[in-house]
Structure formats: structure tokens, C-alpha cells
Amino acid sequence: MDVKVTYHVNEVRVLKHLNLRDLASLSGVSRSEISNIENNLTDPTIRTLCLLSRALDVSPEELYSFEVIP
């Protein structure tokens, strides 16, 4: 069994009218790390998801979805 995780940081960031620099400044997460998450190049830690969710004023669960693959 496997799990496919999709991150929605980009969609939420765009809806909030923030650019990468703004979100990095608000969250304390580097622009490069945010970019890597948005481009599915890296999986964020729970801490990072929490920092981003707080900066975006959404719950951490709104920043990802997952699918279990049998």
C-alpha cells in the first residue's frame, strides 16, 4: 500500500494574493523551500506545514490532500 500526497500551498497562496517572498516573510519558511513544496520536489515537515498554515490563515489540513493506493 502507498500514499500519494498532494500539496495545495500554491493554490492557497495565490487565493490569498501572496507571492513567494510575502509568504516566506510571514511564515519564516524560505522561498526556495516553499517553491520546492509547491513543485512537489520535497515533502514539508509537520512544523513547516504549521508555519505555512498559520501565515496563510488556514488549517494545516487545507494545505494537502492524500490518496491511499492499494
Side-chain angles (χ1 to χ4, degrees):
M1 193 174 337
D2 199 11
V3 176
K4 179 182 183 221
V5 180
T6 304
Y7 298 101
H8 307 291
V9 175
N10 182 269
E11 294 91 336
V12 175
R13 178 176 61 77
V14 170
L15 284 172
K16 301 281 183 167
H17 305 288
L18 296 171
N19 60 36
L20 281 174
R21 178 175 283 143
D22 295 335
L23 182 54
S25 177
L26 290 170
S27 68
V29 177
S30 71
R31 287 184 310 180
S32 63
E33 186 171 0
I34 296 168
S35 177
N36 286 339
I37 294 165
E38 290 184 350
N39 290 300
N40 294 310
L41 299 176
T42 188
D43 291 322
T45 64
I46 293 171
R47 178 184 182 279
T48 298
L49 276 178
C50 290
L51 290 171
L52 292 172
S53 71
R54 185 170 184 178
L56 292 166
D57 195 29
V58 297
S59 69
E61 293 84 7
E62 293 179 67
L63 296 181
Y64 69 92
S65 59
F66 68 92
E67 175 185 358
V68 176
I69 303 167

